[in-house]
PDB file of all heavy atoms in Angstrom:
ATOM      1  N   GLU A 106     -36.608 -37.947 -27.770  1.00  0.00           N
ATOM      2  CA  GLU A 106     -36.919 -36.642 -28.293  1.00  0.00           C
ATOM      3  C   GLU A 106     -37.277 -36.760 -29.708  1.00  0.00           C
ATOM      4  O   GLU A 106     -36.634 -37.413 -30.524  1.00  0.00           O
ATOM      5  CB  GLU A 106     -35.596 -35.765 -28.096  1.00  0.00           C
ATOM      6  CG  GLU A 106     -35.675 -34.326 -28.618  1.00  0.00           C
ATOM      7  CD  GLU A 106     -34.380 -33.613 -28.512  1.00  0.00           C
ATOM      8  OE1 GLU A 106     -33.362 -34.098 -29.099  1.00  0.00           O
ATOM      9  OE2 GLU A 106     -34.347 -32.474 -27.970  1.00  0.00           O
ATOM     10  N   SER A 107     -38.284 -35.956 -30.076  1.00  0.00           N
ATOM     11  CA  SER A 107     -38.823 -35.924 -31.339  1.00  0.00           C
ATOM     12  C   SER A 107     -38.376 -34.624 -31.992  1.00  0.00           C
ATOM     13  O   SER A 107     -38.437 -33.638 -31.488  1.00  0.00           O
ATOM     14  CB  SER A 107     -40.431 -35.978 -31.506  1.00  0.00           C
ATOM     15  OG  SER A 107     -40.900 -34.939 -30.652  1.00  0.00           O
ATOM     16  N   ILE A 108     -37.869 -34.797 -33.317  1.00  0.00           N
ATOM     17  CA  ILE A 108     -37.356 -33.605 -34.089  1.00  0.00           C
ATOM     18  C   ILE A 108     -38.090 -33.410 -35.348  1.00  0.00           C
ATOM     19  O   ILE A 108     -38.345 -34.383 -36.165  1.00  0.00           O
ATOM     20  CB  ILE A 108     -35.801 -33.807 -34.304  1.00  0.00           C
ATOM     21  CG1 ILE A 108     -35.120 -34.191 -33.025  1.00  0.00           C
ATOM     22  CG2 ILE A 108     -35.047 -32.776 -35.035  1.00  0.00           C
ATOM     23  CD1 ILE A 108     -33.542 -34.576 -33.204  1.00  0.00           C
ATOM     24  N   LEU A 109     -38.373 -32.183 -35.717  1.00  0.00           N
ATOM     25  CA  LEU A 109     -38.812 -31.779 -36.952  1.00  0.00           C
ATOM     26  C   LEU A 109     -37.981 -30.824 -37.580  1.00  0.00           C
ATOM     27  O   LEU A 109     -37.617 -29.854 -37.156  1.00  0.00           O
ATOM     28  CB  LEU A 109     -40.233 -31.242 -36.893  1.00  0.00           C
ATOM     29  CG  LEU A 109     -40.857 -30.606 -38.088  1.00  0.00           C
ATOM     30  CD1 LEU A 109     -41.268 -31.621 -39.145  1.00  0.00           C
ATOM     31  CD2 LEU A 109     -42.039 -29.770 -37.736  1.00  0.00           C
ATOM     32  N   GLU A 110     -37.502 -31.221 -38.999  1.00  0.00           N
ATOM     33  CA  GLU A 110     -36.792 -30.209 -39.766  1.00  0.00           C
ATOM     34  C   GLU A 110     -37.716 -29.644 -40.770  1.00  0.00           C
ATOM     35  O   GLU A 110     -38.390 -30.181 -41.489  1.00  0.00           O
ATOM     36  CB  GLU A 110     -35.605 -30.879 -40.557  1.00  0.00           C
ATOM     37  CG  GLU A 110     -34.843 -29.831 -41.331  1.00  0.00           C
ATOM     38  CD  GLU A 110     -33.584 -30.338 -41.980  1.00  0.00           C
ATOM     39  OE1 GLU A 110     -33.285 -31.547 -41.917  1.00  0.00           O
ATOM     40  OE2 GLU A 110     -32.795 -29.508 -42.593  1.00  0.00           O
ATOM     41  N   LEU A 111     -37.706 -28.209 -40.773  1.00  0.00           N
ATOM     42  CA  LEU A 111     -38.530 -27.429 -41.557  1.00  0.00           C
ATOM     43  C   LEU A 111     -37.731 -27.148 -42.853  1.00  0.00           C
ATOM     44  O   LEU A 111     -36.575 -26.939 -42.814  1.00  0.00           O
ATOM     45  CB  LEU A 111     -38.846 -26.085 -40.979  1.00  0.00           C
ATOM     46  CG  LEU A 111     -39.541 -26.133 -39.588  1.00  0.00           C
ATOM     47  CD1 LEU A 111     -39.547 -24.618 -38.982  1.00  0.00           C
ATOM     48  CD2 LEU A 111     -40.944 -26.592 -39.669  1.00  0.00           C
ATOM     49  N   GLY A 112     -38.477 -27.104 -43.943  1.00  0.00           N
ATOM     50  CA  GLY A 112     -37.939 -26.840 -45.255  1.00  0.00           C
ATOM     51  C   GLY A 112     -36.608 -27.488 -45.479  1.00  0.00           C
ATOM     52  O   GLY A 112     -35.511 -26.878 -45.749  1.00  0.00           O
ATOM     53  N   CYS A 113     -36.658 -28.912 -45.325  1.00  0.00           N
ATOM     54  CA  CYS A 113     -35.357 -29.634 -45.254  1.00  0.00           C
ATOM     55  C   CYS A 113     -34.499 -29.599 -46.481  1.00  0.00           C
ATOM     56  O   CYS A 113     -33.246 -29.771 -46.397  1.00  0.00           O
ATOM     57  CB  CYS A 113     -35.631 -31.105 -44.817  1.00  0.00           C
ATOM     58  SG  CYS A 113     -36.536 -32.019 -46.104  1.00  0.00           S
ATOM     59  N   GLY A 114     -35.074 -29.305 -47.782  1.00  0.00           N
ATOM     60  CA  GLY A 114     -34.229 -29.484 -48.939  1.00  0.00           C
ATOM     61  C   GLY A 114     -33.533 -30.787 -49.023  1.00  0.00           C
ATOM     62  O   GLY A 114     -34.280 -31.787 -49.103  1.00  0.00           O
ATOM     63  N   LEU A 115     -32.321 -30.869 -49.001  1.00  0.00           N
ATOM     64  CA  LEU A 115     -31.503 -32.126 -49.060  1.00  0.00           C
ATOM     65  C   LEU A 115     -31.358 -32.755 -47.798  1.00  0.00           C
ATOM     66  O   LEU A 115     -30.774 -33.818 -47.643  1.00  0.00           O
ATOM     67  CB  LEU A 115     -30.077 -31.883 -49.804  1.00  0.00           C
ATOM     68  CG  LEU A 115     -30.137 -31.492 -51.202  1.00  0.00           C
ATOM     69  CD1 LEU A 115     -28.906 -31.224 -51.699  1.00  0.00           C
ATOM     70  CD2 LEU A 115     -30.800 -32.555 -52.127  1.00  0.00           C
ATOM     71  N   ALA A 116     -31.850 -32.058 -46.613  1.00  0.00           N
ATOM     72  CA  ALA A 116     -31.980 -32.781 -45.412  1.00  0.00           C
ATOM     73  C   ALA A 116     -30.735 -33.211 -44.797  1.00  0.00           C
ATOM     74  O   ALA A 116     -30.716 -34.151 -44.025  1.00  0.00           O
ATOM     75  CB  ALA A 116     -32.995 -33.776 -45.377  1.00  0.00           C
ATOM     76  N   LEU A 117     -29.645 -32.451 -44.944  1.00  0.00           N
ATOM     77  CA  LEU A 117     -28.351 -32.792 -44.349  1.00  0.00           C
ATOM     78  C   LEU A 117     -28.461 -32.963 -42.785  1.00  0.00           C
ATOM     79  O   LEU A 117     -28.049 -33.965 -42.146  1.00  0.00           O
ATOM     80  CB  LEU A 117     -27.334 -31.887 -44.514  1.00  0.00           C
ATOM     81  CG  LEU A 117     -26.974 -31.615 -46.053  1.00  0.00           C
ATOM     82  CD1 LEU A 117     -25.768 -30.611 -46.203  1.00  0.00           C
ATOM     83  CD2 LEU A 117     -26.623 -32.908 -46.764  1.00  0.00           C
ATOM     84  N   ALA A 118     -29.144 -31.984 -42.015  1.00  0.00           N
ATOM     85  CA  ALA A 118     -29.245 -32.040 -40.548  1.00  0.00           C
ATOM     86  C   ALA A 118     -30.058 -33.307 -40.218  1.00  0.00           C
ATOM     87  O   ALA A 118     -29.784 -33.862 -39.223  1.00  0.00           O
ATOM     88  CB  ALA A 118     -29.860 -30.863 -40.039  1.00  0.00           C
ATOM     89  N   SER A 119     -31.113 -33.544 -40.865  1.00  0.00           N
ATOM     90  CA  SER A 119     -31.962 -34.789 -40.637  1.00  0.00           C
ATOM     91  C   SER A 119     -31.175 -36.152 -40.783  1.00  0.00           C
ATOM     92  O   SER A 119     -31.255 -37.006 -40.006  1.00  0.00           O
ATOM     93  CB  SER A 119     -33.250 -34.790 -41.505  1.00  0.00           C
ATOM     94  OG  SER A 119     -34.119 -33.731 -41.159  1.00  0.00           O
ATOM     95  N   LEU A 120     -30.439 -36.234 -41.867  1.00  0.00           N
ATOM     96  CA  LEU A 120     -29.649 -37.463 -42.150  1.00  0.00           C
ATOM     97  C   LEU A 120     -28.558 -37.555 -41.029  1.00  0.00           C
ATOM     98  O   LEU A 120     -28.357 -38.652 -40.546  1.00  0.00           O
ATOM     99  CB  LEU A 120     -28.883 -37.234 -43.461  1.00  0.00           C
ATOM    100  CG  LEU A 120     -29.854 -37.353 -44.705  1.00  0.00           C
ATOM    101  CD1 LEU A 120     -29.025 -36.954 -46.038  1.00  0.00           C
ATOM    102  CD2 LEU A 120     -30.367 -38.785 -44.847  1.00  0.00           C
ATOM    103  N   VAL A 121     -27.956 -36.394 -40.549  1.00  0.00           N
ATOM    104  CA  VAL A 121     -27.012 -36.497 -39.501  1.00  0.00           C
ATOM    105  C   VAL A 121     -27.529 -36.938 -38.282  1.00  0.00           C
ATOM    106  O   VAL A 121     -27.090 -37.928 -37.477  1.00  0.00           O
ATOM    107  CB  VAL A 121     -26.194 -35.239 -39.346  1.00  0.00           C
ATOM    108  CG1 VAL A 121     -25.408 -35.225 -38.102  1.00  0.00           C
ATOM    109  CG2 VAL A 121     -25.297 -34.942 -40.486  1.00  0.00           C
ATOM    110  N   SER A 122     -28.684 -36.434 -37.887  1.00  0.00           N
ATOM    111  CA  SER A 122     -29.356 -36.819 -36.733  1.00  0.00           C
ATOM    112  C   SER A 122     -29.888 -38.181 -36.750  1.00  0.00           C
ATOM    113  O   SER A 122     -29.874 -38.975 -35.758  1.00  0.00           O
ATOM    114  CB  SER A 122     -30.634 -35.912 -36.428  1.00  0.00           C
ATOM    115  OG  SER A 122     -30.099 -34.420 -36.349  1.00  0.00           O
ATOM    116  N   HIS A 123     -30.536 -38.598 -37.950  1.00  0.00           N
ATOM    117  CA  HIS A 123     -31.001 -39.948 -38.077  1.00  0.00           C
ATOM    118  C   HIS A 123     -29.848 -40.947 -37.913  1.00  0.00           C
ATOM    119  O   HIS A 123     -30.092 -42.003 -37.267  1.00  0.00           O
ATOM    120  CB  HIS A 123     -31.607 -40.021 -39.477  1.00  0.00           C
ATOM    121  CG  HIS A 123     -32.192 -41.355 -39.852  1.00  0.00           C
ATOM    122  ND1 HIS A 123     -33.280 -41.957 -39.074  1.00  0.00           N
ATOM    123  CD2 HIS A 123     -32.042 -42.247 -40.803  1.00  0.00           C
ATOM    124  CE1 HIS A 123     -33.614 -43.074 -39.602  1.00  0.00           C
ATOM    125  NE2 HIS A 123     -32.825 -43.312 -40.710  1.00  0.00           N
ATOM    126  N   ARG A 124     -28.761 -40.738 -38.527  1.00  0.00           N
ATOM    127  CA  ARG A 124     -27.634 -41.596 -38.352  1.00  0.00           C
ATOM    128  C   ARG A 124     -27.048 -41.719 -36.927  1.00  0.00           C
ATOM    129  O   ARG A 124     -26.672 -42.841 -36.642  1.00  0.00           O
ATOM    130  CB  ARG A 124     -26.473 -41.058 -39.303  1.00  0.00           C
ATOM    131  CG  ARG A 124     -25.283 -41.990 -39.301  1.00  0.00           C
ATOM    132  CD  ARG A 124     -24.394 -41.538 -40.492  1.00  0.00           C
ATOM    133  NE  ARG A 124     -23.775 -40.214 -40.186  1.00  0.00           N
ATOM    134  CZ  ARG A 124     -22.899 -39.578 -41.039  1.00  0.00           C
ATOM    135  NH1 ARG A 124     -22.554 -40.234 -42.192  1.00  0.00           N
ATOM    136  NH2 ARG A 124     -22.584 -38.433 -40.914  1.00  0.00           N
ATOM    137  N   ARG A 125     -27.416 -40.727 -36.125  1.00  0.00           N
ATOM    138  CA  ARG A 125     -26.966 -40.677 -34.745  1.00  0.00           C
ATOM    139  C   ARG A 125     -28.121 -41.426 -33.843  1.00  0.00           C
ATOM    140  O   ARG A 125     -27.937 -41.641 -32.630  1.00  0.00           O
ATOM    141  CB  ARG A 125     -26.757 -39.382 -34.151  1.00  0.00           C
ATOM    142  CG  ARG A 125     -25.507 -38.624 -34.807  1.00  0.00           C
ATOM    143  CD  ARG A 125     -25.291 -37.215 -34.210  1.00  0.00           C
ATOM    144  NE  ARG A 125     -24.845 -37.535 -32.795  1.00  0.00           N
ATOM    145  CZ  ARG A 125     -25.067 -36.470 -31.964  1.00  0.00           C
ATOM    146  NH1 ARG A 125     -25.670 -35.370 -32.203  1.00  0.00           N
ATOM    147  NH2 ARG A 125     -24.577 -36.712 -30.758  1.00  0.00           N
ATOM    148  N   GLY A 126     -29.080 -41.727 -34.481  1.00  0.00           N
ATOM    149  CA  GLY A 126     -30.255 -42.514 -33.647  1.00  0.00           C
ATOM    150  C   GLY A 126     -31.396 -41.615 -33.187  1.00  0.00           C
ATOM    151  O   GLY A 126     -32.129 -42.121 -32.397  1.00  0.00           O
ATOM    152  N   ALA A 127     -31.472 -40.400 -33.692  1.00  0.00           N
ATOM    153  CA  ALA A 127     -32.401 -39.542 -33.282  1.00  0.00           C
ATOM    154  C   ALA A 127     -33.814 -39.866 -33.970  1.00  0.00           C
ATOM    155  O   ALA A 127     -33.828 -40.478 -35.154  1.00  0.00           O
ATOM    156  CB  ALA A 127     -32.092 -38.084 -33.453  1.00  0.00           C
ATOM    157  N   LEU A 128     -34.930 -39.519 -33.391  1.00  0.00           N
ATOM    158  CA  LEU A 128     -36.227 -39.689 -34.013  1.00  0.00           C
ATOM    159  C   LEU A 128     -36.696 -38.424 -34.656  1.00  0.00           C
ATOM    160  O   LEU A 128     -36.954 -37.404 -34.200  1.00  0.00           O
ATOM    161  CB  LEU A 128     -37.233 -39.922 -32.872  1.00  0.00           C
ATOM    162  CG  LEU A 128     -38.712 -40.249 -33.268  1.00  0.00           C
ATOM    163  CD1 LEU A 128     -38.806 -41.317 -34.153  1.00  0.00           C
ATOM    164  CD2 LEU A 128     -39.543 -40.277 -32.113  1.00  0.00           C
ATOM    165  N   VAL A 129     -36.378 -38.512 -36.106  1.00  0.00           N
ATOM    166  CA  VAL A 129     -36.493 -37.343 -36.973  1.00  0.00           C
ATOM    167  C   VAL A 129     -37.646 -37.436 -37.949  1.00  0.00           C
ATOM    168  O   VAL A 129     -37.851 -38.415 -38.589  1.00  0.00           O
ATOM    169  CB  VAL A 129     -35.167 -37.164 -37.727  1.00  0.00           C
ATOM    170  CG1 VAL A 129     -35.126 -35.758 -38.424  1.00  0.00           C
ATOM    171  CG2 VAL A 129     -33.993 -37.111 -36.672  1.00  0.00           C
ATOM    172  N   THR A 130     -38.288 -36.303 -38.269  1.00  0.00           N
ATOM    173  CA  THR A 130     -39.169 -36.127 -39.375  1.00  0.00           C
ATOM    174  C   THR A 130     -38.636 -34.977 -40.109  1.00  0.00           C
ATOM    175  O   THR A 130     -38.507 -33.978 -39.647  1.00  0.00           O
ATOM    176  CB  THR A 130     -40.664 -35.797 -38.795  1.00  0.00           C
ATOM    177  OG1 THR A 130     -41.062 -36.843 -38.077  1.00  0.00           O
ATOM    178  CG2 THR A 130     -41.674 -35.599 -40.003  1.00  0.00           C
TER     179      THR A 130
END
């Protein structure tokens, strides 16, 4: 699954997802 975070700022959600192995932008 590919994930895009909009207006990430400090990108907490992206960091959590990335740490879990998700494919994040």
Side-chain angles (χ1 to χ4, degrees):
E106 179 182 55
S107 57
I108 303 173
L109 171 68
E110 183 174 5
L111 303 170
C113 68
L115 292 174
L117 300 183
S119 288
L120 288 167
V121 167
S122 302
H123 181 59
R124 185 168 59 184
R125 298 182 66 204
L128 180 62
V129 187
T130 299

